[in-house]
Amino acid sequence: MKRLLMIGYVLLLLTSTSCRRVVLELNKVPNNTPKGARIYVTGSFNSWNPGDPNYQMTFNEDTKQYEVDLPIGFGTIEYKFTRGDWTTVETDPCGGEISNRRLVYGDEAFERNTIMGWYDLEPENCPRVTLVIQSVPGNTPYNDALFLGGDINGWSCNNVRYRFIKMENGQYILTVPRNGDKMDFKITRGTWETVEMNEKGNEQLQREVMFGKQDTIFLTVGSWSDRPIETLYTKTIVLQGVPKNTPAKSDYFLAGTLNNWNPLDGKYKFTTLANGRKAITVTFTQQSIPLYYKVTRGGWQKVETDEAFMDIENRELLFDANDTVFVTVKTWADMAPAEIKERRLPSPIMVITPPPAAPLAPKPKQDLSKTTPLAPVNVPALDYDKRKKVFIFIDKLPEAEKNDKVYLAGDFNNWNANDPAYQFRVLPNGKRYFLLRLSDYNAHEFKITRGDWEKEEATYKMERPDNRKIPQGLDDDTLHVRIDNWIDSSPERKLTVVLTGVPLNTPASDGLYLTGDFNDWQLTDSKYKFTLSSDGKYVLNIYDFSRKYNAFKITRGSWPTEAASKRGNTPGNQAFDNIGNDTMRVRIERWKDIR
């Protein structure tokens, strides 16, 4: 009797004090929220499922706001709003990560919220803007500071509050707080006698920034009022001869100091002249010499070599009166006998993503006083504002290596696996990102490493993946990547999940998926999709099974189609047990949506 009274007392206490139902209200969303968008709440109460249909908000026509009921409970929960997945999660007004929202059951019956921005959409009312000067003229004095002078600071040309910070990569960055809707400005080196000019040496028109539309503006300085414009020169390199066994439809590329030794740069591809020869015209300044280069057929495994198939010295583009240079290729590296290839390429890995041989030490500069300068040509300077920009976000990293430095390696940086200029930055939420600026609009390839080709990314099967792709095109882009493993990692074990039986009314066209806490309860994760074996059973191989695998369910791609008990009831999360010989067998009695 005493025990019954005690149980009743505890239940009464929970019911009367803290076990409450809470209604989440959303009274404002950004103006650029897509019309008819579905808004969800996700949090610790639903395993952070960003598109859970049970927590889709409904729009109340009377109150003109979104609402959703949270499950009855007590204590503290954390949550966020999304439009269905993590790429559309809410942000601060400038698109930055925000902390999880918190709610304590029992404080209020209604919890009111406002969304300031969406991760996948441009900021609308950002209270600041970051200016990034990507490039300055080559004759900019190294120690000179750069300042912003505009209506925001009374057109002061050397206000220390508006001094740009010079970064290690040579860029200059300044974050300006919002002061009105618009800001007019120019860039100086501390006086109006050193104000910026355009690439032709004429007056730079007043720059303008509209606050709230973009959180980051990329700029380039064409020239300075007190510095002479760098004269541009051109030379044409003609491919006079190639080996007879060269494939007839080969493409030829120039790789050198002009393009960071990129062996497959479409901007430096030879074109066909009227006489059938291949040629390329390059533009350079007097300040950029000495210039070194080699000829390839699209990769360092296809670089030109000498008669013995050994590396040749870097060719030098001389600053002289000749406007045409004739080049003859003796042999190609990929046509060498097998025993020489083995010496040149020590491992198959290097064939896929080989770092090129380091350029030879530069020769002393030529005495220009003894040469006749070339006549200047009218070639427009490169507009860096119009270069293609690709934001690359790493949404997932293997747990064991989260503190390691991570690098981007691709055809745009000579496949350098530990180039400090291509190291990923870390966001406050722990995710990595890198802003890649491309000098052309061609397609590109890349991989991600931890600083060495023996530490490159791997598939969930612990295999070397194909190169990732950046599509061809003019538009800026954002890529989200997930890294399942590293090639040097050692998974704890492999687990095979076998479905020993499925209902006869299972739709043949539906895919079957495993979902759980190991993949944030994603419902259609291709990594966890079952395949049909030759004996008619559904099989899934997990190649990195470890302690992170705790709870799971099986669905046909959505929660309404999850596996159910014989009576049609929805079971709780299942545990990874009854595992023998690295195999777990599961039987599905029926589906929740099929009687």
Side-chain angles (χ1 to χ4, degrees):
M1 186 67 179
K2 289 183 179 180
R3 183 176 181 182
L4 291 175
L5 288 173
M6 181 61 71
I7 293 174
Y9 174 76
V10 171
L11 292 175
L12 179 62
L13 180 64
L14 290 175
T15 304
S16 62
T17 58
S18 58
C19 192
R20 304 281 184 86
R21 178 180 295 279
V22 177
V23 177
L24 281 186
E25 294 179 346
L26 187 55
N27 52 29
K28 185 178 179 181
V29 298
N31 292 329
N32 60 354
T33 302
K35 187 176 181 180
R38 297 176 179 178
I39 299 179
Y40 300 82
V41 62
T42 178
S44 54
F45 52 85
N46 72 339
S47 301
W48 293 98
N49 182 350
D52 190 338
N54 296 315
Y55 296 100
Q56 179 183 336
M57 307 194 78
T58 57
F59 187 73
N60 189 320
E61 291 291 346
D62 296 330
T63 61
K64 301 300 181 184
Q65 61 187 16
Y66 294 87
E67 298 175 351
V68 69
D69 289 343
L70 291 182
I72 294 175
F74 58 92
T76 301
I77 63 170
E78 297 185 347
Y79 65 98
K80 280 186 177 180
F81 295 101
T82 80
R83 299 200 324 276
D85 57 59
W86 288 114
T87 65
T88 61
V89 69
E90 61 173 321
T91 65
D92 67 16
C94 295
E97 181 85 6
I98 64 172
S99 301
N100 296 337
R101 298 176 184 267
R102 295 173 64 86
L103 179 151
V104 179
Y105 277 105
D107 284 355
E108 299 288 344
F110 296 89
E111 184 77 12
R112 293 172 179 83
N113 301 268
T114 296
I115 294 177
M116 305 301 295
W118 297 110
Y119 184 77
D120 62 324
L121 301 178
E122 288 289 343
E124 274 215 312
N125 197 29
C126 183
R128 62 183 182 272
V129 66
T130 298
L131 304 176
V132 180
I133 302 177
Q134 296 179 289
S135 175
V136 296
N139 58 5
T140 303
Y142 182 79
N143 292 321
D144 279 13
L146 271 57
F147 297 86
L148 178 146
D151 54 9
I152 197 171
N153 61 0
W155 290 97
S156 169
C157 59
N158 56 7
N159 187 326
V160 294
R161 290 182 57 193
Y162 294 90
R163 175 177 176 173
F164 286 83
I165 298 174
K166 188 174 183 180
M167 310 300 288
E168 291 183 358
N169 60 3
Q171 295 183 348
Y172 296 79
I173 295 180
L174 172 66
T175 298
V176 182
R178 181 169 184 162
N179 185 11
D181 295 330
K182 183 171 70 74
M183 177 180 69
D184 297 324
F185 69 98
K186 287 188 178 183
I187 299 167
T188 81
R189 300 201 326 276
T191 67
W192 289 114
E193 288 72 31
T194 59
V195 70
E196 63 172 322
M197 308 288 279
N198 66 20
E199 67 274 5
K200 295 182 180 180
N202 300 324
E203 181 181 1
Q204 169 68 52
L205 297 178
Q206 203 164 275
R207 298 181 185 269
E208 180 181 282
V209 165
M210 299 298 295
F211 283 100
K213 298 298 182 183
Q214 289 180 279
D215 60 344
T216 306
I217 305 294
F218 296 92
L219 310 169
T220 182
V221 176
S223 62
W224 299 110
S225 59
D226 64 327
R227 294 275 167 170
I229 299 178
E230 294 182 336
T231 304
L232 298 174
Y233 303 94
T234 62
K235 273 187 182 289
T236 298
I237 301 172
V238 178
L239 202 53
Q240 187 170 245
V242 296
K244 292 182 179 180
N245 58 350
T246 302
K249 295 184 179 180
S250 292
D251 292 324
Y252 303 94
F253 299 85
L254 180 145
T257 52
L258 280 169
N259 66 344
N260 198 28
W261 293 94
N262 184 344
L264 189 58
D265 190 340
K267 183 179 176 183
Y268 289 88
K269 181 179 177 181
F270 284 76
T271 58
T272 305
L273 301 177
N275 60 7
R277 286 183 175 175
K278 302 287 185 178
I280 184 173
T281 300
V282 296
T283 303
F284 57 96
T285 65
Q286 180 174 320
Q287 287 76 17
S288 63
I289 61 173
L291 299 172
Y292 299 103
Y293 69 96
K294 288 183 180 180
V295 179
T296 82
R297 293 192 349 268
W300 288 111
Q301 70 272 31
K302 298 179 182 179
V303 68
E304 61 175 320
T305 52
D306 63 17
E307 293 88 344
F309 298 99
M310 293 291 106
D311 287 330
I312 64 171
E313 286 194 3
N314 298 331
R315 298 181 184 272
E316 182 176 1
L317 198 62
L318 297 175
F319 186 80
D320 55 26
N322 298 322
D323 60 358
T324 304
V325 177
F326 294 92
V327 171
T328 299
V329 175
K330 301 295 184 182
T331 60
W332 300 107
D334 62 322
M335 296 180 181
E339 61 273 14
I340 296 180
K341 281 186 180 180
E342 290 176 2
R343 293 201 300 270
R344 289 183 53 83
L345 301 173
S347 73
I349 302 169
M350 302 301 287
V351 177
I352 300 172
T353 51
L360 301 178
K363 299 177 181 179
K365 287 191 175 181
Q366 187 179 2
D367 185 358
L368 300 179
S369 63
K370 299 179 182 179
T371 63
T372 303
L374 298 177
V377 293
N378 185 20
V379 179
L382 182 63
D383 186 350
Y384 284 88
D385 280 341
K386 295 182 179 178
R387 286 169 41 161
K388 181 172 179 177
K389 297 184 286 290
V390 182
F391 284 90
I392 301 175
F393 291 89
I394 301 179
D395 293 330
K396 176 194 173 186
L397 273 178
E399 290 288 340
E401 290 80 18
K402 278 195 172 180
N403 294 325
D404 285 3
K405 293 180 179 179
V406 181
Y407 299 86
L408 186 71
D411 54 20
F412 39 76
N413 74 336
N414 222 16
W415 293 102
N416 188 338
N418 61 353
D419 189 338
Y422 289 82
Q423 181 182 333
F424 279 83
R425 306 287 180 87
V426 182
L427 292 168
N429 62 0
K431 291 186 178 181
R432 311 290 180 102
Y433 80 97
F434 184 79
L435 172 57
L436 173 65
R437 298 183 311 279
L438 297 171
S439 58
D440 56 57
Y441 301 113
N442 300 324
H444 290 276
E445 298 186 353
F446 70 95
K447 283 188 175 182
I448 297 172
T449 80
R450 297 194 339 274
D452 190 290
W453 286 114
E454 294 303 322
K455 298 179 181 179
E456 70 171 289
E457 59 178 310
T459 67
Y460 68 94
K461 295 183 179 181
M462 297 304 297
E463 299 171 345
R464 295 184 189 275
D466 295 332
N467 295 341
R468 296 183 184 270
K469 310 288 185 181
I470 297 175
Q472 180 178 4
L474 302 178
D475 296 333
D476 294 344
D477 203 356
T478 300
L479 302 179
H480 290 267
V481 302
R482 295 171 62 89
I483 297 178
D484 292 308
N485 287 305
W486 300 105
I487 205 67
D488 61 322
S489 297
S490 299
E492 294 184 22
R493 62 188 293 193
K494 172 186 171 183
L495 175 67
T496 299
V497 182
V498 180
L499 301 185
T500 57
V502 298
L504 295 177
N505 57 3
T506 302
S509 60
D510 285 6
L512 273 58
Y513 298 87
L514 188 78
T515 180
D517 54 359
F518 46 86
N519 72 339
D520 296 326
W521 296 95
Q522 295 181 65
L523 294 170
T524 56
D525 190 340
S526 59
K527 176 180 175 181
Y528 296 99
K529 183 178 181 180
F530 287 85
T531 58
L532 197 59
S533 64
S534 57
D535 60 356
K537 288 185 172 61
Y538 286 91
V539 177
L540 169 66
N541 290 313
I542 300 174
Y543 292 87
D544 56 350
F545 184 76
S546 63
R547 288 182 296 275
K548 68 179 180 180
Y549 291 83
N550 295 306
F552 75 91
K553 287 190 175 185
I554 297 173
T555 77
R556 301 200 322 276
S558 66
W559 288 119
T561 62
E562 68 175 294
S565 66
K566 289 183 179 181
R567 296 184 178 181
N569 298 323
T570 303
N573 297 339
Q574 299 184 60
F576 286 88
D577 51 15
N578 299 321
I579 299 175
N581 298 321
D582 295 333
T583 301
M584 183 177 72
R585 292 173 172 80
V586 179
R587 180 178 182 83
I588 298 176
E589 301 295 345
R590 61 182 297 179
W591 300 107
K592 182 178 177 181
D593 63 323
I594 301 177
R595 298 291 181 182

